[in-house]
Amino acid sequence: QLQLVESGGGSVQAGGSLRLSCAAPGYTFVSSCVGWFRQAPGREREGVASLSDSGVIQYIDRVKGRFAIYENSAKTTLYLQMNDLKPEDTAMYYCATARWGGDCSTKALTSMPNNNWGPGTQVTVSS
């Protein structure tokens, strides 16, 4: 079982920035669909951003222009750079991945039978 681990969460004031990381020992995100998700208390999990094996990126409208998903050159670590954070960004953030070289989206990633998830990292934004 792949053990993804997220890190980089924390508490910041509105307007601040955080960078989340996601990795697993000895694992590379080669030929993979990867994504970031979040879930706030009392709300359903939502997909935030996805990155396909071919480099196609998708974001939900609420984070466009503020968040960036990317990998390091070795494809061993997935990042989510979050700028201009807002209180409504407060949530537990999760990374997920699946071996899949085709079209990738957070919706598709959720449905892939071979997906793997991390335990999450908490992001809290105060006003």
Side-chain angles (χ1 to χ4, degrees), residues 1-4 23-35 51-54 71 74-77 96-105 108-117:
Q1 182 74 15
L2 179 64
Q3 294 184 327
L4 291 171
Y27 185 78
T28 64
F29 296 103
V30 174
S31 298
S32 298
C33 171
V34 297
L51 171 62
S52 76
D53 182 57
S54 62
E71 298 167 336
K75 287 185 161 294
T76 57
T77 307
T97 186
R99 293 291 190 205
W100 177 251
D103 291 342
C104 173
S105 67
L109 183 53
T110 300
S111 302
M112 292 178 185
N114 60 335
N115 60 21
N116 290 277
W117 297 80

Side-chain angles (χ1 to χ4, degrees), residues 18-29:
L18 285 172
R19 187 177 74 164
L20 306 183
S21 301
C22 170
Y27 185 78
T28 64
F29 296 103

Side-chain angles (χ1 to χ4, degrees), residues 35-86:
W36 286 97
F37 299 75
R38 66 187 181 185
Q39 186 167 21
R43 303 191 66 176
E44 292 187 355
R45 184 180 63 195
E46 66 174 350
V48 174
S50 63
L51 171 62
S52 76
D53 182 57
S54 62
V56 176
I57 295 174
Q58 297 184 44
Y59 298 102
I60 55 171
D61 288 344
R62 286 188 295 282
V63 306
K64 284 180 179 178
R66 299 189 298 121
F67 289 13
I69 184 173
Y70 63 99
E71 298 167 336
N72 65 347
S73 58
K75 287 185 161 294
T76 57
T77 307
L78 174 68
Y79 298 99
L80 184 68
Q81 177 68 44
M82 305 187 295
N83 299 324
D84 189 24
L85 282 160
K86 305 176 185 299

Side-chain angles (χ1 to χ4, degrees), residues 3-6 92-95 117-121:
Q3 294 184 327
L4 291 171
V5 177
E6 303 93 340
M92 185 71 79
Y93 282 72
Y94 303 89
C95 67
W117 297 80
T121 185

